[in-house]
Amino acid sequence: MPTNTQPGDPTTVGARNFRALWAGAAVTNLADGVVKLALPLVAVSMTDSPALVAGVTLANTLPWLFLSLPAGVLADRVDRRHLIMTMAAVRALALAVLVGGVLADVLPLAGLYAGALLLGTAEVFADTTRMSVVPMVVPRNRMESAFAKLTATETAANEFIGPPLGGLLAAAGLAVALGAGAVGYAGALLALAIMTGHYRSGRHRSTASTPGLRAEIWEGVQYVWRERVLRTLLLVAGAASGCWAAWTAVIVVYAVAPGPLDLSRSEYGLLIGALGLGGVVGASAAPALIRRLGRQVVLVTSMACFAVLLAAPAVSSSARLIAVATVLGGAGSGAWNVTYSSLRALVVPEEMMGRYSGVSRLTSWGSMPLGALVAGLTAELIGVRAVFWGGAGVCVLVLAATLRTVTSPQFRRVEARATASDEPEPTQAHRS
């Protein structure tokens, strides 16, 4: 990894930059939590069709299917911080337009879909890039701690604080909730502006020629395919993400009055907030659980918790029971994210991180629009509970497949190979 000799303590500079990145991620995810609760509520105010309501989630997640790989390549070509800041500005402007449409009462359902699509596009580029910045500012021996902090904060903001706050704001007015999201993205842009230095991949700083887009995408895909453990975990994450998107796409129809749970907008926000509560607990506990139990046990247990989240509304219309299951599902999600992200950061070289993140997001998040589409059609033709039954069944099958194909010795071999590498800790290379 190339270095330079700028004055200043690299540890101090790195810590300051990580705090700025952390703050930007927190504000961004708080805005995400508010907006992603508000968008389906706007759709529910326009139509009572489950399929059309699920269309908002479909539009918002569709970019993951088509843009994850190009986003990963772009993250390895440009200054990663500048890319994240640009996407924050795009999201703030998109929400400003939606707010205007809602206030003027001229926003059509197609316009809502278009706004959700643009927000999702910006999210693809920002989220794919953000995780590739972490190894540039955090030493290897602090990687799990850094990802635990980021995951816990993002989960708390996106799923614990954001949804209840979004519910309260939506009760005051849907335009108020969307406007708060715009302010949040603008705040994230300011937080990232505090970071110093450049954040281009060392590969593109040190080479004069840049391979073609297709060649770089293929290189990233080949790298993922060679790593059996990471490849398997990506496929598992893809199945889980599709099921999660299905749950997200129709839970608003099931929960908000006149659905079976008969919740108000603010109560619905609290229910979704239970997901974040569990996520914070799971992410915070993950490093200790990894040390005590090993990665395989943590990942398998996480998937089991997620199956409970999906099964609860299939078997019961008790808001309390579903809230408890939602906390468990969130805990599993938080623990999974920290366990997988820290393993990925240890194994994947920095110059490959953007493209690997692109392949990872395509596999694990690209399934979300498919899950939302299937959920909308299933709910429309059969019923909402059929969506939950199907998702729980898929999770159980994936859990069984994981136990058979990925073993603890395989995890240990991957970790040993990563630990044996001589890659130095982050230096002033990324801080000019």
Side-chain angles (χ1 to χ4, degrees):
M1 184 180 297
T3 63
N4 60 44
T5 56
Q6 179 187 330
D9 181 3
T11 303
T12 302
V13 175
R16 183 177 67 242
N17 285 333
F18 175 73
R19 286 194 296 269
L21 180 69
W22 189 7
V27 180
T28 296
N29 279 272
L30 181 61
D32 285 345
V34 171
V35 171
K36 289 184 179 180
L37 181 114
L39 290 177
L41 290 175
V42 175
V44 168
S45 72
M46 295 178 172
T47 177
D48 58 0
S49 166
L52 293 179
V53 172
V56 175
T57 301
L58 173 62
N60 189 239
T61 56
L62 192 61
W64 288 107
L65 189 59
F66 296 103
L67 298 177
S68 295
L69 295 179
V73 172
L74 187 61
D76 283 343
R77 288 188 174 187
V78 303
D79 187 293
R80 292 167 176 171
R81 178 178 67 113
H82 291 164
L83 180 56
I84 300 171
M85 292 173 67
T86 300
M87 294 303 107
V90 168
R91 287 197 267 191
L93 291 173
L95 282 173
V97 173
L98 289 179
V99 168
V102 171
L103 288 175
D105 197 23
V106 295
L107 180 67
L109 189 59
L112 179 63
Y113 289 166
L117 183 67
L118 181 56
L119 290 168
T121 298
E123 183 179 29
V124 170
F125 285 93
D127 285 7
T128 298
T129 305
R130 184 181 297 109
M131 287 305 181
S132 66
V133 174
V134 177
M136 303 176 86
V137 297
V138 177
R140 291 174 62 84
N141 62 349
R142 300 178 187 173
M143 203 72 72
E144 284 184 358
S145 174
F147 276 110
K149 289 177 181 177
L150 272 174
T151 302
T153 301
E154 291 176 355
T155 303
N158 197 324
E159 300 171 1
F160 181 42
I161 302 173
L165 177 61
L168 291 174
L169 293 171
L174 293 172
V176 174
L178 295 175
V183 173
Y185 292 131
L189 193 157
L190 294 176
L192 291 166
I194 298 173
M195 297 176 70
T196 58
H198 55 77
Y199 290 83
R200 287 176 63 89
S201 166
R203 180 169 182 249
H204 284 288
R205 285 197 310 271
S206 59
T207 59
S209 61
T210 299
L213 176 65
R214 189 174 301 176
E216 291 203 76
I217 288 176
W218 180 240
E219 187 179 359
V221 172
Q222 285 181 310
Y223 179 85
V224 173
W225 190 255
R226 288 195 299 266
E227 291 286 350
R228 181 181 178 183
V229 171
L230 295 181
R231 181 179 77 231
T232 302
L233 294 181
L234 280 181
L235 294 174
V236 170
S241 293
C243 295
W244 180 84
W247 183 89
T248 302
V250 298
I251 191 65
V252 63
V253 178
Y254 185 80
V256 175
L261 297 189
D262 199 33
L263 301 181
S264 66
R265 289 177 180 176
S266 57
E267 289 170 334
Y268 173 65
L270 292 174
L271 175 64
I272 303 301
L275 192 69
L277 173 62
V280 172
V281 173
S284 301
L289 293 174
I290 293 169
R291 290 191 296 270
R292 176 179 286 272
L293 303 175
R295 292 183 189 273
Q296 186 199 35
V297 173
V298 175
L299 291 170
V300 168
T301 304
S302 298
M303 184 59 65
C305 291
F306 200 66
V308 172
L309 163 72
L310 292 159
V315 300
S316 173
S317 56
S318 166
R320 291 184 179 180
L321 187 148
I322 293 173
V324 171
T326 304
V327 171
L328 283 175
S333 177
W336 173 284
N337 287 335
V338 171
T339 305
Y340 171 70
S341 296
S342 59
L343 178 65
R344 175 184 66 186
L346 289 173
V347 174
V348 180
E350 183 270 317
E351 65 272 13
M352 180 66 69
M353 187 62 74
R355 281 164 289 163
Y356 181 86
S357 294
V359 177
S360 172
R361 297 286 182 169
L362 171 64
T363 308
S364 59
W365 291 47
S367 61
M368 292 196 298
L370 302 178
L373 177 62
V374 171
L377 295 175
T378 301
E380 190 80 27
L381 298 175
I382 303 175
V384 176
R385 278 198 164 127
V387 176
F388 304 133
W389 276 117
V394 170
C395 280
V396 170
L397 291 175
V398 168
L399 179 59
T402 305
L403 287 170
R404 293 190 61 181
T405 57
V406 183
T407 64
S408 292
Q410 289 173 324
F411 275 107
R412 287 194 291 270
R413 283 196 293 271
V414 170
E415 290 172 324
R417 187 168 72 251
T419 303
S421 68
D422 294 325
E423 182 182 356
E425 294 185 353
T427 67
Q428 288 294 92
H430 307 292
R431 305 181 264 279
S432 59

